[in-house]
Amino acid sequence: MTWETKSVVDQRLEFCRLAELEGANVSQLCRRFGISRQTGYVWLKRLGSGEPPQDRSRRPHHSPRRTEASLEQAVLEVRDAHPAWGARKIARLLQNAGLDPPSASTVHAILARHDRITTLAGAGPAFGRFERAAPNLLWQMDFKGRFQLVSGDWCYPLTIIDDHSRFAIGIEACTDERTLTVRDRLEPILQRHGLPMAIYTDNGNPWGTGVPGGWTRLRVWLLKLGIDLIHARPYHPQGRGKNERFHRSLKAEVLAFASFSNLKQAQGAFDRWRDLYNHHRPHEAIAMVAPATRYTPSTRNFPARLPEPIYDEGEIVRRVSTTKAYVTFKGRPWRPRHPLLPQPQPAAAAAAAVQPASAVVQQRSNGERRMEMKKPLPIFTSDEDAERFVSSADLSEYDLSGFAPVTFDFRPVVDRNSDDTPPSALPGIYPTRGEIG
């Protein structure tokens, strides 16, 4: 059994009980309890008048600079309507409503005083940011993590935001992450908002093949529309920070407070929050203004008919079947090389290409420069070797900074021992009907 620890309150009660006994010496008791006679008589007086033995509140009786009750109530009403909004957003919204709001620190104190603040673990330092100079120069597109509906089905939210203005171009409740689904949802958005110059995505399906520079059906479709598909650096999610932060807001302000029976109900919630986000919600990354104040639709219209690619005179063009991943050239079938296969080069150049691990210097947002040793990509001799490597290796360990994939470099499927010298690359081969990928 351990020794019982007495609190200060217990010692005060014991002191007063002993001091009230007949013949008690208050001065001696004060010395035994380690307090002054003045303190001893103070607690005897307080307990004699019926006060509890706890310390009195140190809160002032009058605070002339305290925020008015009506303004505090306005702060709490905004917080209750938008539980995920912080002090700066609330202060800006009150200012937009014509009120004279207190400072952001005072708003935070009001929220803390009324138990509206939940303490979260601190986040790490922000990475360096980039932003396009005008709307529609770059859109960012990604799927947020799926969530389950009350019906048991899964919802895959597809999000598209403008890089310059942070305007939410679209939030679509999808049934899957397939290419056809993305295209069906993206086409009406492009018809309403116009065509951007480029779209920024990660390297996974349906945007990419998992290998830098790979071609997919979605990328070919966007290319025909004059939209470049830019892939983020593999294993570096900080490059898609705007998307990740948008997904965090979507989760905190929509998904955390409601359950949806079906996709239609989820889409309705997304549409309502998108309107709030674009036109009313202050955005801290753009000087506390709403994204709609910085966004204008694109002047590039969606074409009524998908344009066909135009080739220069003398280029060799072959159509690719939708069921066979090869073309016919000089009466023989040829299939595309794997993107990781090197370009044909002389033996001396191939030998010189084998380098030891290279040092890649990374620049952090705080100015610190960190050097990492990266392995060179192996030299592959077949598609099978390259595919096995991609499926088993961690590409983040390899130096991809100077990697230039050969997408349209074709080699024969049959008669590999023929004396005919195959062309090292067929310029102008373009997947016009059946896409490669």
Side-chain angles (χ1 to χ4, degrees):
M1 179 180 293
T2 59
W3 290 95
E4 180 181 357
T5 302
K6 289 189 175 182
S7 65
V8 174
V9 173
D10 293 336
Q11 295 183 58
R12 288 171 183 168
L13 289 173
E14 184 178 2
F15 168 81
C16 291
R17 291 192 185 103
L18 293 176
E20 290 173 351
L21 296 177
E22 185 177 355
N25 189 326
V26 176
S27 298
Q28 187 180 46
L29 286 174
C30 289
R31 287 193 296 270
R32 290 178 178 177
F33 279 85
I35 60 176
S36 66
R37 291 180 57 196
Q38 181 181 4
T39 301
Y41 281 108
V42 165
W43 284 107
L44 285 173
K45 181 179 178 181
R46 289 185 183 179
L47 267 68
S49 62
E51 287 191 36
Q54 287 82 10
D55 290 329
R56 289 177 175 176
S57 173
R58 290 176 171 80
R59 181 178 179 179
H61 297 290
H62 179 62
S63 302
R65 302 182 63 181
R66 179 186 173 93
T67 305
E68 296 180 3
S70 60
L71 192 54
E72 282 199 18
Q73 184 62 31
V75 170
L76 297 177
E77 288 177 357
V78 175
R79 176 70 175 192
D80 291 340
H82 308 285
W85 286 18
R88 286 188 290 268
K89 284 186 175 62
I90 294 175
R92 184 55 178 261
L93 194 66
L94 294 176
Q95 181 181 351
N96 294 343
L99 300 177
D100 184 15
S103 64
S105 60
T106 301
V107 173
H108 183 85
I110 293 173
L111 298 176
R113 186 161 58 244
H114 292 274
D115 298 325
R116 299 299 203 280
I117 297 294
T118 302
T119 304
L120 299 176
F127 289 87
R129 296 180 176 134
F130 65 89
E131 178 184 297
R132 288 297 188 268
N136 304 304
L137 292 181
L138 181 69
W139 290 0
Q140 295 201 22
M141 180 167 57
D142 196 7
F143 274 104
K144 190 198 175 303
R146 67 177 186 173
F147 65 92
Q148 196 166 22
L149 303 170
V150 176
S151 62
D153 297 327
W154 291 94
C155 176
Y156 299 81
L158 173 65
T159 63
I160 308 169
I161 60 174
D162 178 64
D163 184 82
H164 171 77
S165 63
R166 311 312 199 270
F167 189 87
I169 307 294
I171 310 175
E172 302 294 320
C174 302
T175 57
D176 52 56
E177 298 181 350
R178 299 173 60 186
T179 299
L180 185 59
T181 301
V182 174
R183 179 168 171 172
D184 289 344
R185 296 303 185 103
L186 186 57
E187 186 167 330
I189 291 176
L190 295 174
Q191 291 173 350
R192 293 193 302 268
H193 295 272
L195 306 179
M197 297 302 297
I199 296 180
Y200 188 63
T201 67
D202 59 24
N203 293 275
N205 289 326
W207 336 111
T209 61
V211 179
W215 287 89
T216 63
R217 299 176 186 271
L218 182 64
R219 184 181 180 188
V220 172
W221 177 67
L222 292 174
L223 184 63
K224 291 182 179 181
L225 291 173
I227 303 174
D228 190 17
L229 187 62
I230 303 175
H231 294 293
R233 185 178 177 188
Y235 305 102
H236 286 73
Q238 60 269 27
R240 296 177 287 106
K242 297 183 183 69
N243 261 127
E244 299 297 337
R245 186 63 182 88
F246 182 79
H247 290 169
R248 176 181 165 187
S249 298
L250 177 62
K251 178 180 179 181
E253 300 182 25
V254 180
L255 302 181
F257 297 100
S259 298
F260 308 109
S261 300
N262 48 52
L263 287 175
K264 182 178 179 180
Q265 194 177 60
Q267 187 62 61
F270 291 164
D271 292 340
R272 290 190 294 272
W273 184 75
R274 177 174 165 267
D275 179 75
L276 171 71
Y277 176 89
N278 285 336
H279 299 279
H280 305 285
R281 180 182 182 272
H283 201 298
E284 295 183 29
I286 51 176
M288 300 304 290
V289 299
T293 61
R294 289 165 50 108
Y295 178 75
T296 55
S298 173
T299 57
R300 303 173 63 210
N301 296 324
F302 188 88
R305 182 178 180 182
L306 193 64
E308 292 293 333
I310 300 176
Y311 303 101
D312 293 335
E313 184 178 356
E315 288 187 327
I316 302 173
V317 180
R318 293 292 185 271
R319 291 189 180 275
V320 182
S321 170
T322 57
T323 60
K324 301 176 182 178
Y326 61 83
V327 297
T328 301
F329 182 73
K330 292 186 178 181
R332 294 161 50 189
W334 301 71
R335 63 189 174 99
R337 300 169 60 89
H338 194 282
L340 285 182
L341 288 176
Q343 297 189 34
Q345 54 185 331
V354 181
Q355 299 291 338
S358 59
V360 177
V361 179
Q362 294 185 348
Q363 183 80 28
R364 292 185 171 182
S365 58
N366 59 2
E368 177 185 352
R369 293 172 65 86
R370 183 181 65 176
M371 180 174 293
E372 291 185 350
M373 299 304 294
K374 296 286 187 176
K375 303 175 184 177
L377 281 174
I379 301 297
F380 302 105
T381 58
S382 67
D383 288 328
E384 291 75 15
D385 291 343
E387 290 169 359
R388 280 194 296 268
F389 173 79
V390 171
S391 62
S392 61
D394 182 2
L395 293 181
S396 64
E397 299 178 357
Y398 293 85
D399 182 14
L400 303 177
S401 58
F403 175 59
V406 183
T407 305
F408 297 118
D409 190 7
F410 283 77
R411 60 194 184 91
V413 178
V414 295
D415 296 336
R416 301 193 180 194
N417 297 323
S418 173
D419 294 334
D420 296 338
T421 302
S424 60
L426 299 181
I429 289 184
Y430 191 92
T432 57
R433 181 159 298 177
E435 292 89 344
I436 298 173

